[in-house]
């Protein structure tokens, strides 16, 4: 007669607890360090603008601001406020990852990969939103360009990009492996 060994649930759950705790900590860090995160976003926007424009760019990370068109007749600055940052768009992805990881810990690698790719998409979409605002300000002027870029088209870019990142996350996290 063979004796079946009962698994030690404490030891098998330990990696799951560590992974969930790491995700929860990442979420907390995003919230608590969101100003630092915005500074990084502004620096990235400034670097991108510096590459694609010739009219001068200045980044003031301590004010979470990027100024562009400095050598033009109408220089303009954008200040990254908390609601314009991609930081809080990352939180739903972290929460969904935690929920899926809790119910399917065997998919941990796939979930972390999906989270990484989707988080990158969220960051890039927010940079596209900033570039949209910059382009429309350049084409239509300060008042009209900012209105259309920030209020309408920029919001559409954010909503569409956020939806794409969530769909991409779910697709990457749940797709079947090829045989």
């Amino acid at each position: 007669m063979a004796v079946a060994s009962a698994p030690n649930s404490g030891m098998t759950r330990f990696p799951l607890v560590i992974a969930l705790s790491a995700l929860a900590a990442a979420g907390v860090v995003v919230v608590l360090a969101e100003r630092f995160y915005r500074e990084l976003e502004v620096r990235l926007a400034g670097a991108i603008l510096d590459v694609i424009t010739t009219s001068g760019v200045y980044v003031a990370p301590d004010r979470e601001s990027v100024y562009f068109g400095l050598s033009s007749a109408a220089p303009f600055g954008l200040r990254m406020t908390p609601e314009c940052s991609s930081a809080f768009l990352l939180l739903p992805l972290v929460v969904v990852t935690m929920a899926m990881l809790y119910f399917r810990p065997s998919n941990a690698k796939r979930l972390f990969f999906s989270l990484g790719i989707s988080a990158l998409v969220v960051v890039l979409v927010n940079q596209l939103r900033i570039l949209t605002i910059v382009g429309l300000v350049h084409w239509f002027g300060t008042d009209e360009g900012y209105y259309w870029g920030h209020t309408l088209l920029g919001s559409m870019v954010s909503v569409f990009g956020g939806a794409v990142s969530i769909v991409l996350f779910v697709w990457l996290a749940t797709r079947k492996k090829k045989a």
Side-chain angles (χ1 to χ4, degrees), residues 40-54:
L40 292 176
E41 279 189 301
V42 165
R43 287 178 193 267
L44 179 59
I48 293 169
L49 286 171
D50 202 31
V51 168
I52 64 172
T53 66
T54 58

Side-chain angles (χ1 to χ4, degrees), residues 24-173:
V28 169
V29 166
V30 166
V31 171
L32 295 179
E34 68 84 24
R35 181 179 172 139
F36 177 72
Y37 183 87
R38 282 187 288 141
E39 290 174 9
L40 292 176
E41 279 189 301
V42 165
R43 287 178 193 267
L44 179 59
I48 293 169
L49 286 171
D50 202 31
V51 168
I52 64 172
T53 66
T54 58
S55 59
V57 175
Y58 175 73
V59 176
D62 57 321
R63 291 183 296 221
E64 304 95 32
S65 300
V66 60
Y67 300 91
F68 56 92
L70 299 179
S71 62
S72 71
F76 195 77
L78 292 174
R79 182 161 192 248
M80 176 80 67
T81 59
E83 56 274 0
C84 292
S85 172
S86 65
F88 297 113
L89 297 175
L90 296 174
L91 291 177
L93 291 172
V94 171
V95 170
V96 169
T97 302
M98 289 175 70
M100 291 178 79
L101 184 63
Y102 179 78
F103 291 110
R104 299 284 270 193
S106 61
N107 288 345
K109 284 183 183 177
R110 182 179 288 179
L111 288 169
F112 280 105
F113 174 77
S114 302
L115 176 61
I117 296 296
S118 298
L120 180 64
V121 168
V122 165
V123 170
L124 293 176
V125 162
N126 205 49
Q127 292 299 311
L128 178 62
R129 179 175 185 258
I130 293 168
L131 294 176
T132 301
I133 295 169
V134 169
L136 290 173
V137 164
H138 177 73
W139 291 326
F140 297 122
T142 302
D143 293 337
E144 194 172 337
Y146 182 75
Y147 169 77
W148 286 102
H150 186 265
T151 307
L152 185 65
L153 200 54
S155 296
M156 287 176 31
V157 166
S158 290
V159 169
F160 181 73
V164 165
S165 72
I166 289 173
V167 168
L168 179 65
F169 173 83
V170 171
W171 179 73
L172 288 172

